[in-house]
Amino acid sequence: MSGSVTAGRGSVRRQVRIARSPDEVWALAGDPARITEWWPGIVAASVDGTTRVITTASGIPMPETILTVDRIQRRFQYRITAPIIREHLSTLDVLDPGDGTSLVVYAADADPATMALIIGGAAGAALENLRRLLEEGS
């Protein structure tokens, strides 16, 4: 995990290599409604246009605004709009190294900085779970 903290803001980036094609990975990770299948601790997700509401295992609903779902670049971006976070942007990229595998990169930028660290920790576990599901699931 890499990260930085400046003036109340925090940035964290996590990544994982998955032995599946970028299109296979994107089909799961790039679908905003399917986050419950691979992100531990998220038990429900509803999507209505550019709004997604995820529900954590503790029952807390977290509203989000979907900013980007780019199937060509395989990029998904969203902002958490819950009042506990002043500012947030997360980006998920599914990259093609050209060898039949995928490099999945998740970056989070948030204020307060502690939220970026929390999201980054959860993202690391989620990416490992995504890898396991896709590699061991076939």
Side-chain angles (χ1 to χ4, degrees):
M1 174 168 69
S2 62
S4 66
V5 176
T6 57
R9 300 188 62 78
S11 293
V12 176
R13 183 174 57 227
R14 299 295 306 254
Q15 63 186 37
V16 67
R17 191 74 166 258
I18 299 177
R20 290 285 176 262
S21 76
D23 289 338
E24 289 176 280
V25 175
W26 176 255
L28 178 55
D31 185 336
R34 295 183 70 189
I35 192 168
T36 59
E37 295 176 43
W38 61 277
W39 194 293
I42 296 178
V43 297
S46 63
V47 178
D48 184 11
T50 60
T51 300
R52 175 171 75 176
V53 178
I54 62 161
T55 304
T56 65
S58 59
I60 299 170
M62 298 286 286
E64 303 170 336
T65 299
I66 297 170
L67 303 172
T68 306
V69 181
D70 186 327
R71 288 164 181 80
I72 295 169
Q73 290 189 73
R74 290 183 295 271
R75 170 172 276 191
F76 176 73
Q77 292 181 300
Y78 68 97
R79 289 190 188 285
I80 297 173
T81 57
I84 62 170
I85 300 177
R86 286 187 284 276
E87 189 177 335
H88 165 265
L89 173 66
S90 277
T91 303
L92 176 93
D93 288 307
V94 179
L95 306 173
D96 185 352
D99 61 2
T101 69
S102 299
L103 180 63
V104 184
V105 180
Y106 184 97
D109 183 62
D111 182 6
T114 52
M115 287 309 299
L117 298 174
I118 292 167
I119 294 166
L127 291 178
E128 282 301 321
N129 193 49
L130 179 67
R131 183 196 58 73
R132 185 186 55 75
L133 286 170
L134 290 168
E135 289 183 357
E136 297 174 8
S138 60

